[in-house]
Amino acid sequence: MTFNFNFELKTFVLILFAISLIVSCSDAKKETSSNEEKVEGAFPYMLPETKPNRPLSAALERNYDAYMGPRQETNELFTQFKYTRLKGFDYNGGDGTITRRDPSKVIFANGKYYMWYTHRETSAAPVGVSNAHLSSDSIPSADWDLADIFYATSEDGFTWEEQGVAVPRAEKPNLGHRSVTTTDILVWEGKYYLYYQAFSVAPGKNGGDNCPVAVSYADSPDGPWIPYNKDVIPNGAPGEWDQYSIHDPYPMVHDGKVYLYYKSDFGRSDTTQTVRMHGLAIADNPLGPFEKHPLNPIMNSGHETTLFPFKEGVAAFAIRDGNEMNTIQYAKDWVNFDVAATVEMMPDAAGPFIPDVFTNTTDGRGITWGISHFTVPHGNWKKNHAVLLRFDCDLSLDVHDPRMKRHHNKPKIETLYRHGLSKEQRERITKANKELKE
Ligand code: AAL
């Protein structure tokens, strides 16, 4: 019995050994053949849709690891932008006395679309932030000085009806008595909240475009709006990156909380230009207190803030300014952003229509359109103003529009020549040519 058992056990062990030998040999064979492939095979003509098992250059590794698809067409966060002139707004012939800029997100309520924006109507065009000393109670420094927050509604997103003021400038000495500007909307538990930059002096007069953020709330998108009269997102302490400005407040709902992204201007010295980066402030309640994220700044590039829930994370535009300008970025955890696409002709100050932005979603579906602004549309700074325009794109998981995924836009040659060399640059080149010949 014992003998038989031992015999059977031995046989069993032997068989197991034989099987594992065969399996490991065939694995080794596979290994060798894929190794051989790695060394000998040229990269295939048809771009593999998933990462191939072969040695890859850093650029190709990145092409598969860093983007949502290896081609623009399959990268859900790549898009072209198309623009349409809006109907319904008058700009006084573009003489600089009327501006509309920095639109909020678009929301759908009461059977129509709503947006809020900076509206300035002054007797003169702005003198410019660097000429703020020339501004007065009726002459604006910046294009967003002496402004109020207006709103407009639309049936189709192309033709808009201006409804008038939503949040006027505050009474002195309340926050925002000089200008209220650059607003954005939050819908939370049936109430509406408008966050905005609240200036108490003309932008430029206290050293820069410096202001904190205030908030007003209402039971209806048509108001009336009640000012909370507090700097709900206060500037940082002296020496901190956001000590002077909190711009472009942009609230969303995530994790049952208010996630408010903002931009700050900083890092300016006699020899360096302004740096612009983005921060995040989180609150359990729309009126705060907001706690700034310890990893701020959480975006290293970008001017105005434009974000939307995407899959389980959040996507963000990095529009102008910084090493990663002209990119769309993605943060699975809503904090740590990576570049997800490089794009062109991005909408400035984009306020998208995001159906799921306040739903606390963990399956964000993306965006297909919104409203943006274009500053100095005719190129004449003496008549400086901004206009609102519509952008369309395909950054949606539910829309498949191949025309939005085309590779490049072709500008007119005049656009390039408009970016000509300065006199000093021309002189430097002439000097270098001369030195070469000597
Ligand atoms: C914009 C925004 C903020 C700045 C100014 C008006 O595009 O970044 O709002 O303060 O410029």
Side-chain angles (χ1 to χ4, degrees):
M1 201 58 196
T2 318
F3 171 81
N4 270 349
F5 175 76
N6 277 344
F7 176 77
E8 276 167 19
L9 189 70
K10 265 188 198 159
T11 318
F12 180 67
V13 169
L14 267 173
I15 292 169
L16 256 187
F17 179 70
I19 291 174
S20 71
L21 203 71
I22 293 166
V23 169
S24 73
C25 277
S26 80
D27 270 359
K29 232 177 156 185
K30 261 194 227 158
E31 187 83 40
T32 324
S33 72
S34 73
N35 270 342
E36 275 165 11
E37 210 180 293
K38 277 179 196 166
V39 177
E40 288 172 12
F43 195 79
Y45 171 73
M46 289 308 288
L47 183 71
E49 280 305 312
T50 53
K51 192 172 171 179
N53 179 22
R54 50 173 295 131
L56 292 170
S57 63
L60 265 286
E61 286 279 349
R62 190 165 70 245
N63 198 48
Y64 286 97
D65 293 343
Y67 303 104
M68 286 182 187
R71 314 164 167 251
Q72 286 109 315
E73 295 98 310
T74 54
N75 181 352
E76 292 285 5
L77 283 176
F78 174 81
T79 189
Q80 288 291 356
F81 295 98
K82 309 275 175 187
Y83 293 94
T84 311
R85 193 188 299 268
L86 296 183
K87 289 198 176 128
F89 296 121
D90 175 68
Y91 291 92
N92 219 14
D95 66 357
T97 58
I98 298 182
T99 206
R100 290 184 188 83
R101 55 178 297 145
D102 291 298
S104 68
K105 295 186 278 283
V106 175
I107 66 162
F108 190 76
N110 304 330
K112 54 193 173 214
Y113 296 111
Y114 281 75
M115 68 158 158
W116 292 261
Y117 47 91
T118 304
H119 177 271
R120 173 182 58 77
E121 186 158 4
T122 44
S123 54
V127 290
V129 175
S130 50
N131 285 326
H133 58 282
L134 301 176
S135 66
S136 69
D137 282 353
S138 58
I139 300 175
S141 64
D143 187 29
W144 52 95
D145 188 19
L146 295 173
D148 304 292
I149 293 163
F150 269 43
Y151 78 115
T153 57
S154 172
E155 297 290 330
D156 61 4
F158 292 94
T159 300
W160 291 83
E161 210 175 308
E162 190 154 85
Q163 302 293 339
V165 68
V167 179
R169 271 163 272 174
E171 293 289 322
K172 258 187 185 166
N174 286 335
L175 203 66
H177 62 79
R178 173 74 193 188
S179 193
V180 287
T181 165
T182 319
T183 193
D184 201 28
I185 183 84
L186 167 72
V187 184
W188 174 275
E189 293 176 359
K191 275 195 174 1
Y192 297 80
Y193 297 82
L194 281 176
Y195 297 83
Y196 47 91
Q197 298 179 198
F199 286 91
S200 295
V201 294
K205 267 210 169 151
N206 56 358
D209 188 13
N210 301 341
C211 64
V213 162
V215 61
S216 289
Y217 52 91
D219 289 330
S220 149
D222 293 299
W225 295 91
I226 301 161
Y228 184 51
N229 273 331
K230 270 194 189 158
D231 48 351
V232 68
I233 320 281
N235 294 122
E240 293 180 0
W241 76 290
D242 56 357
Q243 67 172 321
Y244 293 126
S245 60
I246 308 280
H247 290 163
D248 304 276
Y250 191 97
M252 293 188 285
V253 176
H254 173 59
D255 203 14
K257 298 178 170 52
V258 184
Y259 268 53
L260 186 144
Y261 294 83
Y262 63 92
K263 175 257 272 173
S264 191
D265 286 1
F266 67 110
R268 195 189 181 101
S269 75
D270 292 345
T271 53
T272 56
Q273 298 178 48
T274 305
V275 175
R276 295 192 168 98
M277 293 190 182
H278 295 182
L280 167 63
I282 302 172
D284 292 331
N285 180 300
L287 298 180
F290 277 87
E291 205 166 305
K292 292 183 184 170
H293 198 281
L295 291 182
N296 280 349
I298 45 83
M299 288 259 296
N300 66 25
S301 302
H303 197 111
E304 298 93 354
T305 46
T306 302
L307 303 98
F308 50 93
F310 200 73
K311 300 186 175 179
E312 66 265 65
V314 68
F317 286 5
I319 314 162
R320 294 186 288 142
D321 300 313
N323 281 326
E324 295 173 2
M325 68 173 108
N326 295 324
T327 63
I328 297 178
Q329 310 210 355
Y330 184 66
K332 205 169 167 182
D333 63 358
W334 291 64
V335 172
N336 290 287
F337 287 87
D338 281 313
V339 172
T342 304
V343 289
E344 52 192 339
M345 284 174 58
M346 296 187 89
D348 274 356
F353 173 54
I354 319 168
D356 55 8
V357 68
F358 306 126
T359 62
N360 206 27
T361 183
T362 50
D363 179 27
R365 306 309 299 171
I367 59 166
T368 58
W369 71 279
I371 305 296
S372 60
H373 76 202
F374 196 94
T375 57
V376 211
H378 42 40
N380 181 351
W381 281 94
K382 291 210 167 112
K383 296 178 177 178
N384 183 13
H385 70 290
V387 298
L388 298 176
L389 60 159
R390 175 181 165 120
F391 70 91
D392 282 82
C393 58
D394 176 5
L395 292 168
S396 163
L397 295 171
D398 303 318
V399 168
H400 175 62
D401 184 347
R403 293 193 71 83
M404 291 291 189
K405 304 275 180 181
R406 297 287 294 268
H407 289 196
H408 68 279
N409 287 317
K410 189 92 182 84
K412 288 207 175 117
I413 197 162
E414 286 77 29
T415 311
L416 302 191
Y417 291 143
R418 269 192 56 213
H419 293 268
L421 289 165
S422 68
K423 198 168 146 263
E424 291 74 20
Q425 287 164 332
R426 205 50 202 261
E427 279 165 10
R428 170 174 52 75
I429 295 163
T430 311
K431 193 167 160 251
N433 282 341
K434 217 172 127 213
E435 278 167 9
L436 206 62
K437 288 180 192 157
E438 279 167 5

